[in-house]
Amino acid sequence: MTRRVEREGASSGGAADRTRPPEPQAAPPDPATLLRSAGYLRLLVLGAVLGVPISAVAYGFLALVALLQHGLYTGLPRALGLSSAPWWWPVPPLVLAGLLVGAVIRFLPGRGGHSPADGFHAGGPPDPIALPGIALAALASLVAGAVIGPEAPLIALGGGLAVCAVRLTRRPMEPSAVGVIGATGSFAAISTLLGSPLLGAFLLMEASGLGGPMLGLVLLPGLLASGLGTLIFVGLGRWTGLGTFSLALPDIPGFAEPDLAQFAWAIAIGVIAAFFGTGIRWLALRGRSVVEPRLMLAVPVAGVGVAALAIGYAAATGHPVSDVLFSGQDAMDPLLVHSAGYTGGALLLLLAAKGLGYAVSLAAFRGGPIFPAMFLGAALGVLLSHLPGLPLVAGAAMGIGAMSVTMLRLPITSVMLATLLLLADGLAVMPLVIVAVVVAHVVTARLTPPQPAAVPDRPAHSNGPR
């Protein structure tokens, strides 16, 4: 009887525990209080101190890429007594780069960084042990001519170097503070690469999903490092004479104001870019599934494919192979300035060759997806500007925004990329860019198959029959 009473009491106590209201959660920290704290001030100072050397390292990386590219495709042929690089010249560098990138992915820690076929990622900083592989794979891909950009490796290197510097101090730091320092290093590394420190801030903010009242506290160290990084880039650019390696379109024609026909073109460009970019991403993902099991063979073969596309385009159009090779950052301004020299057929072939080279590079090499998407968007806009009712600048801006959002899935960043890049014309063309970006984003979501829902874990115990 006593045991039965105890069992009933335990049972009733369990029921009382189940009906007891949950204990209140601890209130989240007040942003205003944290902003006034001494710890946050130290975090700002640390971010500013780290931003200077990381910006210098990022500048050195970009300068090294530019010098090696020029030496490989211009200086070396002249040193061999050739007036210019022969038609087959892109094949050996891309094959060697494929061997190097395949070896890095297979044998070094970190696999050379994220695969760009998955789109743009701005997760946590990589482990310091992965930084050499990330730098080596990106350097080989960019120098040889893979259709890939430098922004993702720079973000990873900046964040990883910042975290490495913090660890070297051997001072205890909360994981949240380490994450802020890593983001600060990423901000500093791409401070002016996209043409403005604000663009880098929007890119990292939107990609990481930051929001809420703590957003400002997380962004402030990054913005401070980005501003200092811009000064470092400008100062080193003047001191070395190499420039700032900043994306810019200084020589494009002016644009007055949008009209109704151009808004119709914005819808059309958004739809076209969504189909075009989704096709590139599909090819990249399918190609990666072929490349990954056989890296040492498939990545060099992918390099041969990229080179063949560039050689075929140059032979058919008379334009340089650099239109297809590389990220497109340096080729975008000449394309817009000399657009009259490109026929409709040449632009169609450029879109096909660069798009296929982009898909192959995303599948096999290491780098970022932003700059090739922008170049393809600009080329699409130039092609469509041959048709009535679409000015060149408006078409290029809408194409840049629509292709960027299709490949990155970051609508705010895509609008900013297309408008801040155009400087004075940006405000006038912004309504058209917004329409094109929204249409492309929605159509891309409709074309992309939904991701399977995660299956919840089975509970450790069950009250049902066993």
Side-chain angles (χ1 to χ4, degrees):
M1 179 68 69
T2 303
R3 291 179 180 176
R4 183 179 300 172
V5 171
E6 290 176 353
R7 188 179 298 112
E8 290 176 354
S11 176
S12 62
D17 289 340
R18 285 193 295 270
T19 59
R20 183 181 302 165
E23 296 183 2
Q25 299 291 329
D30 178 31
T33 302
L34 290 177
L35 186 61
R36 293 192 297 266
S37 65
Y40 187 75
L41 181 60
R42 288 194 295 269
L43 195 63
L44 278 175
V45 173
L46 180 59
V49 170
L50 291 177
V52 173
I54 289 174
S55 299
V57 170
Y59 183 90
F61 180 84
L62 293 174
L64 181 61
V65 169
L67 290 174
L68 291 178
Q69 283 180 352
H70 182 269
L72 183 60
Y73 280 89
T74 302
L76 184 57
R78 291 178 181 174
L80 296 176
L82 303 172
S83 58
S84 62
W87 64 268
W88 49 264
W89 192 263
V91 176
L94 281 164
V95 171
L96 292 175
L99 288 171
L100 183 56
V101 171
V104 168
I105 296 174
R106 182 173 179 181
F107 298 112
L108 291 188
R111 295 178 56 82
H114 291 296
S115 169
D118 292 323
F120 183 79
H121 291 277
D127 290 332
I129 195 174
L131 297 182
I134 293 173
L136 191 58
L139 191 66
S141 301
L142 294 167
V143 170
V147 188
I148 214 74
E151 71 285 344
L154 280 181
I155 289 172
L157 291 173
L161 288 174
V163 172
C164 186
V166 170
R167 291 181 179 177
L168 289 176
T169 62
R170 297 184 179 181
R171 295 184 59 181
M173 186 173 290
E174 295 183 1
S176 59
V178 174
V180 172
I181 290 298
T184 300
S186 297
F187 273 67
I190 61 165
S191 54
T192 60
L193 179 63
L194 298 176
S196 168
L198 285 177
L199 270 175
F202 274 102
L203 175 68
L204 295 174
M205 176 185 68
E206 192 173 15
S208 60
L210 294 173
M214 301 296 291
L215 173 61
L217 294 179
V218 177
L219 282 179
L220 276 181
L223 288 173
L224 179 60
S226 185
L228 292 174
T230 301
L231 296 177
I232 297 299
F233 268 63
V234 171
L236 289 175
R238 292 178 178 176
W239 180 58
T240 61
L242 298 175
T244 61
F245 305 104
S246 178
L247 183 64
L249 300 176
D251 302 320
I252 58 175
F255 177 78
E257 59 184 12
D259 56 27
L260 188 60
Q262 293 165 22
F263 276 101
W265 271 116
I267 297 173
I269 289 175
V271 173
I272 295 170
F275 277 90
F276 186 30
T278 301
I280 291 173
R281 181 185 291 275
W282 182 85
L283 288 174
L285 292 173
R286 291 302 178 97
R288 187 179 64 180
S289 66
V290 176
V291 169
E292 288 288 342
R294 48 189 73 85
L295 288 167
M296 299 306 297
L297 174 63
V299 183
V301 170
V304 174
V306 174
L309 289 167
I311 293 168
Y313 164 80
T317 64
H319 293 290
V321 293
S322 58
D323 283 357
V324 174
L325 300 179
F326 310 114
S327 66
Q329 173 185 352
D330 297 327
M332 200 181 312
D333 186 59
L335 173 67
L336 296 178
V337 173
H338 304 293
S339 59
Y342 287 81
T343 64
L347 288 169
L348 281 172
L349 192 56
L350 174 59
L351 287 170
K354 187 87 169 181
L356 287 173
Y358 186 25
V360 172
S361 299
L362 290 174
F365 290 93
R366 287 295 188 262
I370 295 179
F371 288 120
M374 295 177 67
F375 180 88
L376 287 170
L380 175 63
V382 172
L383 172 63
L384 296 177
S385 70
H386 286 70
L387 300 175
L390 182 61
L392 172 67
V393 172
M398 290 186 285
I400 290 171
M403 277 300 297
S404 296
V405 78
T406 300
M407 300 306 297
L408 306 180
R409 314 293 177 86
L410 305 174
I412 298 177
T413 300
S414 300
V415 172
M416 299 292 290
L417 279 171
T419 53
L420 289 182
L421 186 61
L422 297 176
L423 302 176
D425 296 324
L427 290 178
V429 82
M430 182 181 287
L432 301 173
V433 173
I434 291 173
V435 173
V437 166
V438 170
V439 171
H441 194 43
V442 173
V443 175
T444 300
R446 299 283 295 181
L447 294 175
T448 305
Q451 298 294 328
V455 179
D457 295 334
R458 190 182 298 274
H461 63 275
S462 173
N463 293 328
R466 296 182 180 179

